[in-house]
Amino acid sequence: MKIAMGADHAGYRLKDVLKPFIESLGHEVQDYGAMGSESVDYPDYAAIVCEKVTSGEADKGILICGTGIGMTIAANKVPGIRCALVHDLFSAKATREHNDSNVLSLGERVIGPGVAEEIVKIWLETGFSGGERHKNRVGKVKALEDKYAVQS
């Protein structure tokens, strides 16, 4: 899989740990920054990663900031994105099986690299269950997105 990654200044260290880990699992990583501790705006990185996912240039996206909250909020403004903020293994599996999430958000200041690696591995390896109730619910989320989409 092609994985688009982005982080702000509060998440770049964890991104730099996860990138080689994801590559060791056999995936290609597209790194869109940030590359250091200079203050940057997380919505800029969420936007580029989400655009890569929605265009099909990447299969999935991973975003990292201090808490993961800002990245999640920004990512979920992009039509077609289902971004999940995950800090535990159960949620990593559930968000793929039940919500078909296509972007994962993590908080560098919330979890350590070992847990982050386990979360990423589970998230990347878990498929959407395809169960009728879950397809129906994901469809309802899409309907909400369509209903409130800004008309150009």
Side-chain angles (χ1 to χ4, degrees):
M1 275 189 286
K2 291 182 183 176
I3 311 300
M5 291 188 76
D8 69 0
H9 58 280
Y12 82 94
R13 288 176 297 274
L14 184 56
K15 175 182 61 72
D16 290 348
V17 168
L18 291 174
K19 182 179 173 182
F21 173 73
I22 294 166
E23 290 170 338
S24 78
L25 297 175
H27 304 292
E28 177 185 328
V29 176
Q30 305 162 340
D31 186 344
Y32 295 102
M35 304 303 181
S37 60
E38 183 178 329
S39 184
V40 296
D41 298 327
Y42 62 83
D44 299 337
Y45 297 90
I48 192 164
V49 166
C50 292
E51 287 167 9
K52 297 299 179 183
V53 172
T54 58
S55 73
E57 293 177 60
D59 299 300
K60 291 189 172 120
I62 298 176
L63 296 167
I64 308 164
C65 64
T67 62
I69 297 168
M71 287 290 200
T72 304
I73 292 169
N76 281 318
K77 299 298 181 187
V78 178
I81 294 298
R82 290 175 307 283
C83 180
L85 173 58
V86 175
H87 292 136
D88 65 87
L89 306 181
F90 176 81
S91 298
K93 184 172 179 149
T95 192
R96 286 290 307 127
E97 287 182 340
H98 297 188
N99 312 117
D100 197 19
S101 61
N102 53 9
V103 176
L104 173 66
S105 185
L106 302 168
E108 180 177 309
R109 295 175 180 161
V110 179
I111 57 172
V115 172
E117 287 178 348
E118 290 182 59
I119 288 169
V120 166
K121 186 175 190 304
I122 289 168
W123 188 77
L124 289 173
E125 292 177 351
T126 302
F128 181 50
S129 73
E132 201 56 41
R133 67 184 178 161
H134 299 304
K135 285 194 288 190
N136 183 50
R137 292 170 184 159
V138 171
K140 286 184 176 191
V141 170
K142 173 75 169 105
L144 282 172
E145 182 179 274
D146 293 343
K147 179 178 178 180
Y148 293 104
V150 176
Q151 302 299 317
S152 342

